[in-house]
Amino acid sequence: MIVREATSVAGLPPGDPATERSRIEALLDLGILDTPPEQAFDDLAALAARLCAAPMAVVSLIDADRAWFKARVGVADEQVDRGTSLCHHVVQQTGILMVPDTLRDNRFAENPLVTDAPGIRCYAGAPLVTSDGHVMGALCVMDTVPRVLGEAALADLALVARQVVSQLELRRQTAVLTSEIAAKALVESELRQNRYLLDEVLAHTDVLVFAKDLEGRYLFANAAVDRAVGQGTGAIIGRVEAEISSPRRARRPQPADSEAVEIDSLTTFTEEWIFPGGNVRTYQSTKFPLVDEHGLTYAIAGVSTDVTELTAVRAELQESARRFRSLFERSPVGIGLSDESGRWIQVNDAFGRLMGVEPDALVGRSALDFAHPDDFDLISGSESGQMTSPDHVMRAEMRFFWPDGSIRYAWVNITPAVGPNGEPWTLAISQDITDRKEAENALRRSEEELAAIAAVARCVQSGTDPRPVVVASVRSLSGAQEVRLLEPGGQGLLAVTAADGLTDDAVPPAGSTPDLVRHTGRPVMVPSTQDAPVSVLWEPVLVEGEVIAVLQVTWPHPVSTTQDPSVDAVRVLAVEAGASLHAAQLRSELEKSATTDPLTGALNRRAWETSLLRLMERSKQESVPLTIALIDLDNFKAYNDSFGHAAGDQLLCQFAVDVRAALDEDDLFARWGGEEFILALAGDDGQRIGGVLQHIRAVVPGTQTCSIGYAVWQPDEPAAACVGRADVALYAAKREGRDRVVAA
């Protein structure tokens, strides 16, 4: 059966990303990628080529970004990029992919494996589907001529593909079995080592470890028990407590062995032993039942530890901890203790006030959960900051978000601490400096806004485009990720005319949010959400109440429309942008009127002379010929007398429009005076120049005609001399009957 499957844009595989990840993981689990050639796979590739009478065959395994060939016949490369591979299309299906002629298939027609060597024209690929449903790749055959494989050949190809999968799964099963055997041997070795280790520990520890049967006879006792009761090694085994001479207990809080059996769990208690000579020692003991494989209790075990010194130290620590907690909780400075992963273990009330939440809500969370994104690197690098500080204390100013989105500033001292097991913990002492920072920031923002306004104003004065300065200033003052200036363009749609931090230049469609702002003149803010963690503001740029542009400002974090100074900065600069863009527009219109003929829109004589000098200089530097032509509308006075000056003006305007449409960007076209125009054509293509001049002669509106005289400018020849030669040729065209093109 021939199967054809579509693929996504740019050749990437469609489908569920989770399914693709699962498929890649299954491929990696095979452990076959980049392994040496194996006869079993080479034989199957050769068999597929022979059965299908194909000069090329490969066992292709599709990795995340490549197609790697475990076996290949008639193919030199060991792998190709996945986007180039023909086989990666097979991964998306479970049937055979048959392509009789790759040049007639849009998926493959421009593939370099088709257009260049090896020139694949015919392709057939059978998917390699494992027992768990994953498609690992394809067994494919290829030919350099287009043809169709018969049903029998395709069936053979599918059969051989199943044998390839059998080899893959056999390889995986062999690896698993080998791993299990090795793991079993390792476990047995570890058990022996652990038994030896346990025996050594029990023999040398000071902890008393013992076990009794349900009648109270000792079944086991380590050396520490023998030493404590003053007996020789193993002397108490098989005896009960009453038969052993041992230290007497100061009191008897220990439960009977039967109690441990009844509650079926650990029983822990503390007792004091009085040794000969009056020495009193404190022991912490634990008893617990031992249960067999049937769930029945067959013995009682116990562990007793001498905790005399520990008990005394613990009492001192409890008192010290009480004093520290009093200081910790009542401190007006925020104190937070975090573990090795940066999670807070303990914080005081002042620290909670700094973060705007109850202290208990901070435990288990990280400073990264509250910090400003721009301070993430500062927090993540705190360990390095401590190491590089002379006194191992990192000092830094940081910003944190309150739940309502407002920002708090803190001066933080971070110093290393040691966890209970020697872990590298951290102690942070923080002081809220928000009031001071807000005063400083207000002053700085005022200065920056004045500087930005001055920079935009200078653009107007100097004649440079204020747009790049506007968007750069808005982004700098507002802390935005991206700023775009949208202005009306073709077909009345908004287009991006300036941007800073732009990630794409997509044109907003009609009816979109910026289009709404343009028509209403009211700003729109889209706040961040859990699904879209960005804030976007569209601010209109107004001139005398009319929207001439829209500023689109994007932040990667929540922004308040009423409290955030970033929004105020955008609105201040939007006002200045409106004035600057309006002034720039007026300046542009003034400059255009100074260089443009007001009737036809062509260059005027002054602009012609300035532009021609630049064109002549470039022609000389690049050694490219330059042609100057004079164009005169024939019998124009008679046309004016017959139809009136309004019709004559319309004729001149339409003629100018048609001429400009026939010219290149580098050509010059100007009104020379009255009904006479002048033209400069750059280039050494004589056929083009002649064609352009003949086309101009033919586009005169209505039944009117024109005469053209032209001359090729000679290097170092004055412009006036070349124009004079063209003028002579023009008069020759007039004398010869008009409506013609004559060269000097």
Side-chain angles (χ1 to χ4, degrees):
M1 178 177 64
I2 298 175
V3 179
R4 298 181 185 275
E5 289 287 340
T7 57
S8 62
V9 177
L12 294 178
D16 182 16
T19 301
E20 174 63 8
R21 285 195 298 271
S22 176
R23 189 192 69 80
I24 293 297
E25 290 173 358
L27 175 60
L28 295 177
D29 286 343
L30 290 176
I32 195 170
L33 292 177
D34 300 312
T35 58
E38 297 179 42
Q39 190 65 45
F41 292 100
D42 293 344
D43 290 346
L44 290 173
L47 179 60
R50 184 180 306 168
L51 291 172
C52 298
M56 293 175 282
V58 295
V59 174
S60 177
L61 300 176
I62 306 302
D63 200 356
D65 56 2
R66 59 172 178 161
W68 179 76
F69 305 145
K70 176 58 181 174
R72 60 188 190 277
V73 175
V75 175
D77 294 330
E78 294 182 352
Q79 63 183 31
V80 296
D81 290 341
R82 180 169 179 174
T84 304
S85 168
L86 278 64
C87 294
H88 89 86
H89 294 271
V90 183
V91 174
Q92 306 304 316
Q93 59 192 43
T94 56
I96 294 178
L97 173 64
M98 175 67 217
V99 183
D101 189 347
T102 55
L103 289 180
R104 292 180 177 274
D105 193 310
N106 291 336
R107 295 172 295 178
F108 309 114
E110 296 182 2
N111 192 299
L113 297 178
V114 174
T115 58
D116 300 327
I120 299 171
R121 290 294 302 277
C122 170
Y123 174 88
L128 303 177
V129 185
T130 60
S131 57
D132 53 7
H134 291 298
V135 183
M136 299 291 99
L139 171 64
C140 66
V141 294
M142 298 158 285
D143 207 338
T144 57
V145 295
R147 63 191 180 95
V148 176
L149 296 183
E151 292 294 333
L154 292 177
D156 290 342
L157 184 63
L159 186 149
V160 178
R162 290 194 294 272
Q163 291 305 309
V164 171
V165 173
S166 296
Q167 287 295 325
L168 291 174
E169 296 195 327
L170 178 60
R171 178 190 182 91
R172 176 169 55 187
Q173 292 168 1
T174 301
V176 170
L177 181 59
T178 302
S179 176
E180 289 177 350
I181 292 173
K184 181 179 179 182
L186 179 61
V187 168
E188 291 176 349
S189 175
E190 289 178 348
L191 284 174
R192 289 192 298 270
Q193 182 64 27
N194 289 341
R195 180 53 188 263
Y196 174 78
L197 179 63
L198 178 60
D199 290 343
E200 287 294 297
V201 170
L202 291 176
H204 294 89
T205 183
D206 289 333
V207 177
L208 282 57
V209 183
F210 58 88
K212 303 176 184 179
D213 64 16
L214 299 182
E215 283 72 36
R217 291 187 294 270
Y218 278 95
L219 301 174
F220 169 81
N222 69 343
V225 175
D226 293 333
R227 290 193 297 270
V229 299
Q231 300 289 323
T233 302
I236 66 173
I237 302 302
R239 299 164 67 185
V240 297
E241 188 80 20
E243 299 172 348
I244 304 169
S245 173
S246 60
R248 65 185 178 87
R249 292 177 172 83
R251 51 184 177 272
R252 186 176 174 80
Q254 75 165 8
D257 295 342
S258 59
E259 294 182 25
V261 176
E262 290 173 0
I263 63 175
D264 193 28
S265 64
L266 293 175
T267 302
T268 301
F269 55 94
T270 301
E271 59 181 336
E272 292 182 349
W273 286 16
I274 303 175
F275 287 85
N279 184 24
V280 179
R281 308 295 295 177
T282 303
Y283 284 85
Q284 179 169 303
S285 301
T286 299
K287 287 184 179 181
F288 50 92
L290 299 179
V291 181
D292 62 17
E293 65 272 16
H294 304 295
L296 300 176
T297 300
Y298 68 91
I300 300 298
V303 177
S304 296
T305 305
D306 188 337
V307 294
T308 305
E309 287 77 12
L310 178 61
T311 302
V313 170
R314 183 177 296 161
E316 294 178 3
L317 286 176
Q318 288 175 347
E319 176 59 24
S320 176
R322 186 193 63 77
R323 292 194 299 267
F324 170 77
R325 178 166 292 280
S326 176
L327 175 64
F328 178 81
E329 292 177 347
R330 297 180 182 180
S331 172
V333 178
I335 304 174
L337 181 65
S338 55
D339 63 15
E340 65 275 12
S341 62
R343 303 284 176 183
W344 283 310
I345 299 296
Q346 192 173 11
V347 298
N348 67 349
D349 291 344
F351 203 89
R353 289 193 296 271
L354 175 63
M355 297 298 170
V357 297
E358 291 296 323
D360 291 344
L362 295 176
V363 175
R365 303 186 68 181
S366 163
L368 294 174
D369 296 334
F370 297 85
H372 192 288
D374 291 346
D375 291 340
F376 282 1
D377 290 343
L378 195 62
I379 294 172
S380 300
S382 63
E383 183 176 352
S384 174
Q386 297 169 52
M387 294 175 62
T388 56
S389 172
D391 57 358
H392 300 292
V393 178
M394 175 183 171
R395 298 170 177 85
E397 181 182 293
M398 297 182 185
R399 292 161 290 181
F400 298 96
F401 284 111
W402 269 15
D404 63 2
S406 60
I407 294 179
R408 307 298 293 180
Y409 291 83
W411 180 253
V412 184
N413 291 267
I414 303 175
T415 184
V418 180
N421 298 311
E423 305 95 334
W425 285 11
T426 301
L427 182 67
I429 300 176
S430 307
Q431 184 175 359
D432 192 331
I433 58 170
T434 304
D435 293 342
R436 189 191 79 192
K437 285 299 299 184
E438 287 181 347
E440 293 175 354
N441 289 338
L443 177 61
R444 176 183 54 79
R445 282 194 297 271
S446 177
E447 294 172 347
E448 289 176 347
E449 287 175 1
L450 289 175
I453 292 172
V456 175
R458 284 195 296 272
C459 291
V460 177
Q461 295 170 0
S462 63
T464 57
D465 186 2
R467 293 172 178 83
V469 178
V470 168
V471 295
S473 298
V474 170
R475 186 183 180 203
S476 174
L477 289 181
S478 66
Q481 181 184 52
E482 172 187 301
V483 178
R484 298 204 259 184
L485 181 66
L486 307 171
E487 296 183 77
Q491 301 179 350
L493 295 176
L494 290 172
V496 178
T497 56
D500 198 67
L502 185 63
T503 55
D504 67 78
D505 57 356
V507 177
S512 61
T513 301
D515 208 38
L516 175 66
V517 173
R518 172 191 173 193
H519 288 97
T520 63
R522 293 192 295 270
V524 173
M525 168 68 84
V526 177
S528 63
T529 64
Q530 186 173 2
D531 296 330
V534 296
S535 301
V536 184
L537 169 66
W538 286 275
E539 181 71 24
V541 178
L542 301 169
V543 173
E544 297 179 353
E546 179 184 355
V547 179
I548 64 170
V550 176
L551 276 169
Q552 178 180 322
V553 187
T554 303
W555 292 272
H557 52 76
V559 173
S560 170
T561 57
T562 57
Q563 299 178 352
D564 200 307
S566 301
V567 176
D568 295 336
V570 174
R571 289 173 178 162
V572 168
L573 286 177
V575 174
E576 185 62 25
S580 300
L581 291 175
H582 184 57
Q585 180 182 2
L586 294 176
R587 185 187 185 104
S588 175
E589 292 173 354
L590 181 62
E591 291 175 349
K592 182 177 180 181
S593 66
T595 60
T596 305
D597 176 56
L599 176 63
T600 64
L603 296 176
N604 60 23
R605 193 157 184 165
R606 175 184 174 188
W608 158 267
E609 292 172 351
T610 302
S611 301
L612 180 62
L613 290 176
R614 290 196 296 267
L615 188 60
M616 292 170 70
E617 183 63 27
R618 194 178 75 182
S619 175
K620 184 187 300 183
Q621 292 176 353
E622 299 177 0
S623 300
V624 176
L626 179 66
T627 301
I628 297 178
L630 280 169
I631 308 167
D632 186 78
L633 294 177
D634 297 329
N635 302 314
F636 184 73
K637 183 177 182 305
Y639 185 89
N640 263 347
D641 293 342
S642 299
F643 300 102
H645 287 285
D649 289 347
Q650 185 177 0
L651 174 67
L652 292 173
C653 291
Q654 185 59 49
F655 177 66
V657 170
D658 294 339
V659 171
R660 285 198 297 270
L663 301 180
D664 290 341
E665 184 179 353
D666 294 336
D667 299 332
L668 293 180
F669 177 64
R671 188 178 181 189
W672 197 241
E675 70 275 19
E676 198 169 15
F677 296 87
I678 192 166
L679 178 66
L681 301 171
D684 56 1
D685 188 347
Q687 184 176 0
R688 171 189 172 263
I689 293 172
V692 169
L693 296 179
Q694 289 295 344
H695 176 76
I696 291 173
R697 185 185 64 78
V699 298
V700 181
T703 59
Q704 292 302 110
T705 62
C706 73
S707 299
I708 302 175
Y710 71 93
V712 178
W713 175 66
Q714 303 297 323
D716 299 327
E717 178 185 21
C722 185
V723 173
R725 292 194 293 115
D727 195 38
V728 171
L730 174 62
Y731 277 99
K734 293 281 189 182
R735 287 194 306 272
E736 294 174 9
R738 299 184 176 87
D739 191 19
R740 65 194 62 224
V741 177
V742 175

